[in-house]
Amino acid sequence: MANYPVVETFYSVQGEGLFAGAGAYFVRLFGCPVKCAWCDTKNSWSGSAPNFMSDKQIANQASLTSCDFAVITGGEPTIHPLQELVDSFRALGIKTHLETSGYMPKNVENIDWITLSPKLHSHTHESYLVSADELKFIVSNAEEIELYMEKFGEYFSGKKAVFIVPEFSKSRDSELLSEICEAVKLYGFPLRAGWQLHKSFGAV
Ligand code: SF4
């Protein structure tokens, strides 16, 4: 059994990536060394100390919902040893999706879906660049789109999707949205223009 610092758990709608729109059970773990200036979940790494829950407590709570999969997120969830949590979900027939910036080397197996969101100001471990199912780039301007293409383009082959998502405070910036569309048209598949569906729907 393992204990995890849990900021929050909730059953909601996945707002991003190829599973957007699907019901999902979210587990937000505490702590993140990446510290993005625009982070919209700062409470996951700068707030007060969270409650600890065991892997079985978390999985049992999720099993009371109708979820098909659980999303392990943060913060940066991979700073914690995740295998027991993943195994407890699997034991109850719940798939696991992981959202990570790739800050740590990959040390967990049997994840059903990996969303990797590298950050330009932080290290991204190659083990996640290779194994991720989808990539997500959060951008504030056209220059960042180009930097992501240069830095990570060699890893696009075999990915199900590579989303370019406007940083939320710029999600109605017509110039940035236009730049994203132009990049998708220029580079082609697997690039996609991304959005944060749950914020449009007001879901939590
Ligand atoms: S990596 Fe994610 S959780 Fe950590 S600071 Fe950046 S956006 Fe926030």
Side-chain angles (χ1 to χ4, degrees), residues 36 41 62 185 193 196:
C36 305
T41 55
K185 286 156 59 182
Q196 294 182 300

Side-chain angles (χ1 to χ4, degrees), residues 120 138-150 164-166 170 173 175-183 186-187:
L120 290 171
I138 310 294
V139 298
S140 301
N141 53 54
E143 185 188 1
E144 289 182 356
I145 298 173
E146 288 307 312
L147 288 172
Y148 274 116
M149 295 303 115
E150 284 172 22
I164 309 178
V165 184
K170 302 206 167 178
D173 181 328
E175 190 178 332
L176 178 59
L177 297 180
S178 173
E179 298 282 4
I180 291 172
C181 290
E182 289 306 313
L186 177 65
Y187 292 100

Side-chain angles (χ1 to χ4, degrees), residues 4 72 76-87 90 96-100 104-114 127-128 131:
Y4 296 90
I72 303 172
E76 173 47 71
T78 64
I79 62 174
H80 307 287
L82 296 176
Q83 195 62 59
E84 273 137 311
L85 182 57
V86 170
D87 292 346
R90 284 177 75 88
T96 47
H97 293 197
L98 175 66
E99 295 186 346
T100 177
M104 300 284 287
K106 187 167 179 282
N107 64 353
V108 58
E109 301 300 325
N110 296 323
I111 298 272
D112 294 284
W113 187 264
I114 297 174
S127 51
Y128 277 112
S131 63

Side-chain angles (χ1 to χ4, degrees), residues 14 98-101 113-117 132-136:
Q14 174 59 290
L98 175 66
E99 295 186 346
T100 177
S101 71
W113 187 264
I114 297 174
T115 301
L116 174 66
S117 181
D133 296 285
E134 65 181 4
L135 301 180
K136 180 175 70 174

Side-chain angles (χ1 to χ4, degrees), residues 32 34-36 38-39 41 45 75 119:
C32 181
V34 181
K35 296 182 171 45
C36 305
W38 42 260
C39 179
T41 55
W45 47 269
K119 305 296 186 285

